[in-house]
Amino acid sequence: MVIMAHPDDAEFGCSGTVARWVREGWDVYYVVCTDGGSGGSDDATDVSPEARRQITETRMQEQRNACRILGVKDVIFMGYPDGMLRPTLELRKDIVRLLRQYRPARVICQSPERTWVPELSIPRHHPDHLAAGEATLAALYPASQNPWDFPELLAEGLKPHKVSEIYIVGAPVENHYVDITETFETKLEALRAHTSQVSADFEAIVPMLRYWAASVGKKIGSLYGESFHRVENR
């Protein structure tokens, strides 16, 4: 299960790994915490509820299209307002519910902490990303595996579930690298599916994407790679 704040977050951060896991036979599910409704142009003057609704619908469809390219089994949209995500008990409970329903062995999530080395990346550490990461890690331990947390879920028939492996994107310390040489072009194709976000300058950012992936790949002797902080939940 891949739990991210926005549509397209997974494509940028881990879709090469997702495509590789799908090829290896894993069933992969996406969870998108926000509605993506703040993903319009920075030059917009119409920011009405109707404009937001149209952006939300567009971005949801783009995410579905990207998931089809990657072979993702399904995508769940939680619908929290884009730009206002907080690591609340409500969000934690909603994530726990999904963890107990789908019972994944592995979870990919975003880092709840900023990375300052070699320098702070402002876009990478959107407040929604940090909130999604904090809420997901709190849901993973102890809430998902602890029957005493959110007992109403147990009453709903959702038994505790312990996730074995956690992969954190954008963490201050990275300790795990995945060879995505064979799936890098699939990653690019999935990113292209987010037309509203990347169509204007996609070809301009491809060299940057290749550079980032190649920099990680060098660490494991491959052409392209993706990096994580990986931990086993023993």
Side-chain angles (χ1 to χ4, degrees):
M1 179 171 281
V2 180
I3 305 174
M4 297 281 155
H6 308 115
D8 82 17
D9 285 352
E11 277 63 64
F12 277 106
C14 61
S15 58
T17 299
V18 167
R20 174 170 175 162
W21 287 354
V22 169
R23 290 187 181 191
E24 292 173 354
W26 289 85
D27 288 340
V28 179
Y29 294 85
Y30 271 17
V31 175
V32 179
C33 296
T34 75
D35 61 11
S38 293
S41 169
D42 288 349
D43 298 324
T45 55
D46 179 4
V47 292
S48 63
E50 176 59 23
R52 174 181 283 273
R53 185 188 66 78
Q54 292 178 0
I55 292 169
T56 294
E57 291 181 357
T58 295
R59 298 196 70 191
M60 288 174 65
Q61 187 56 53
E62 289 172 350
Q63 185 64 83
R64 293 187 187 100
N65 294 340
C67 285
R68 279 194 288 271
I69 291 166
L70 295 167
V72 171
K73 196 89 171 176
D74 196 8
V75 54
I76 300 104
F77 298 99
M78 301 182 80
Y80 282 82
D82 189 358
M84 294 183 280
L85 196 67
R86 295 290 181 267
T88 61
L89 284 175
E90 179 187 9
L91 177 58
R92 186 191 307 182
K93 178 180 173 180
D94 286 345
I95 295 172
V96 170
R97 178 180 279 109
L98 292 173
L99 292 172
R100 293 189 184 185
Q101 285 177 337
Y102 288 86
R103 309 184 75 77
R106 295 172 172 173
V107 164
I108 299 179
C109 69
Q110 291 162 302
S111 174
E113 297 183 48
R114 292 176 172 85
T115 299
W116 297 89
V117 178
E119 65 180 13
L120 176 67
S121 170
I122 298 297
R124 185 176 188 180
H125 299 297
H126 189 295
D128 287 353
H129 297 178
L130 303 176
E134 184 173 343
T136 301
L137 289 174
L140 287 163
Y141 182 84
S144 178
Q145 64 193 59
N146 184 2
W148 299 94
D149 285 356
F150 306 117
E152 61 272 28
L153 296 181
L154 193 62
E156 293 175 16
L158 297 174
K159 296 181 180 180
H161 172 66
K162 183 176 183 178
V163 176
S164 300
E165 297 176 86
I166 302 164
Y167 295 73
I168 302 169
V169 177
V173 176
E174 296 172 336
N175 63 3
H176 186 78
Y177 309 95
V178 177
D179 183 350
I180 63 164
T181 302
E182 294 185 2
T183 57
F184 182 76
E185 296 303 322
T186 305
K187 176 186 178 82
L188 292 183
E189 187 180 355
L191 272 167
R192 283 191 188 96
H194 294 278
T195 307
S196 68
Q197 305 301 300
V198 303
S199 62
D201 58 356
F202 186 73
E203 294 307 320
I205 68 172
V206 167
M208 178 184 65
L209 295 169
R210 291 190 184 278
Y211 173 78
W212 287 346
S215 298
V216 176
K218 286 181 181 178
K219 297 179 180 181
I220 52 173
S222 68
L223 184 58
Y224 296 122
E226 287 177 339
S227 57
F228 305 89
H229 186 95
R230 175 186 176 275
V231 60
E232 294 183 7
N233 184 21
R234 297 186 177 90

